[in-house]
Amino acid sequence: MLHKSNAFSSFSTDDIPKAKKFYKDILGLPVDNGEMGTLTLHLQGGNTVTIYPKSNHQPATFTVLNFPVINIDNTVNDLLEKGVVFEHYKEPKTDSKGIYRGISFNAGPNIAWFKDPAGNILSVLENS
């Protein structure tokens, strides 16, 4: 029934201008202003994500957006230089840069999590 629908994802923020600056200037994504004060992120492959304003925004407690990358170390280093702060976890155990090295012990991808200005969790994960 919905297989022909051009589905898209969305999540909220408490500060649209701050979100636009982060996604456009820090992450380097094409960002458009949408209807009713929203933002549209344009992702590789033609997919879009809508970020909408919400005055009582609560950050997601799970990863809302994943960015596959070829080399996680290079990407993390580039983002660190731009001021992105990576999360550090005991489980799964992340290294000093915040990277979980799952590939080395056959337990998933290498992945690193970080938050947008509204506290939503994003990740970069290595395509292997």
Side-chain angles (χ1 to χ4, degrees), residues 16 20 31-35 38-40:
I16 287 290
K20 184 175 184 178
V31 178
D32 290 332
N33 294 319
E35 297 178 18
T38 65
L39 296 176
T40 301

Side-chain angles (χ1 to χ4, degrees), residues 12-19 52-57 117-120:
S12 69
T13 186
D14 54 0
D15 190 327
I16 287 290
K18 198 182 264 188
Y52 57 92
K54 187 174 179 190
S55 61
N56 62 346
H57 165 77
N120 294 309

